[in-house]
């Protein structure tokens, strides 16, 4: 199973921007779905971005739509989450995931497959 390592989390002021990275141990071209989800202390997991079948379909929840963008570097086998206009409610640990076949029949990225240790994003003034 692919190993994923998230990085790039930081503390940022509201309205700021941040880009998270996810390094994969194998080619991301072979995966049917790639995504990001987040979890704040005491709260449930929330999917924030997903891409399916090489970009034929994408998903963003209303909470981040227009502010977050999932991008790929297929040469470096790296997944990115570009975040703009950050809000305090975006504070959470962010995780990336990858999956194939039936595991991609979901809009919940944590159901795609294994994820890494996550990276902390803190948004406050």
């Amino acid at each position: 199973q692919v190993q994923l390592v998230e990085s790039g989390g930081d503390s940022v002021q509201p309205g700021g921007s941040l880009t998270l990275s996810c390094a994969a141990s194998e080619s991301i071209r072979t995966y049917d779905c790639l995504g990001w989800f987040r979890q704040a202390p005491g709260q449930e997991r929330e999917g924030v971005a997903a891409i399916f079948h090489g970009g034929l379909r994408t998903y963003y929840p209303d909470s981040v739509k227009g502010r977050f963008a999932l991008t790929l570097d297929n040469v470096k086998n790296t997944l990115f989450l570009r975040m703009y206009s950050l809000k305090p409610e975006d504070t959470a640990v962010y995780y990336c995931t990858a999956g194939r076949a039936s595991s991609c029949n979901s809009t919940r990225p944590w159901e795609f497959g294994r994820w890494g240790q996550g990276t902390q994003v803190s948004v406050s003034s």
Side-chain angles (χ1 to χ4, degrees):
Q1 192 172 10
V2 64
Q3 295 185 47
L4 302 168
V5 180
E6 300 93 341
S7 64
D10 204 353
S11 296
V12 62
Q13 293 183 336
S17 301
L18 194 64
T19 298
L20 307 181
S21 298
C22 172
S25 62
E26 58 191 60
S27 176
I28 61 175
R29 291 179 180 268
T30 67
Y31 285 85
D32 297 316
C33 53
L34 299 159
W36 290 86
F37 71 92
R38 65 188 181 188
Q39 187 166 28
Q43 299 185 26
E44 296 181 349
R45 295 165 181 164
E46 180 186 23
V48 297
I51 184 168
F52 302 88
H53 305 295
L56 293 178
R57 183 167 65 91
T58 58
Y59 168 79
Y60 298 95
D62 290 341
S63 60
V64 308
K65 192 173 296 182
R67 300 189 299 114
F68 287 16
L70 190 161
T71 61
L72 308 173
D73 187 330
N74 291 311
V75 175
K76 297 181 179 179
N77 294 322
T78 301
L79 176 67
F80 300 97
L81 183 67
R82 300 182 184 276
M83 304 182 291
Y84 308 92
S85 301
L86 285 163
K87 303 175 180 180
E89 51 263 44
D90 294 320
T91 297
V93 178
Y94 285 71
Y95 304 85
C96 63
T97 63
R100 296 188 178 99
S102 62
S103 66
C104 295
N105 294 326
S106 173
T107 57
R108 300 181 177 92
W110 59 90
E111 295 180 350
F112 294 171
R114 184 178 178 180
W115 55 86
Q117 81 289 345
T119 186
Q120 176 72 53
V121 173
S122 298
V123 185
S124 65
S125 58

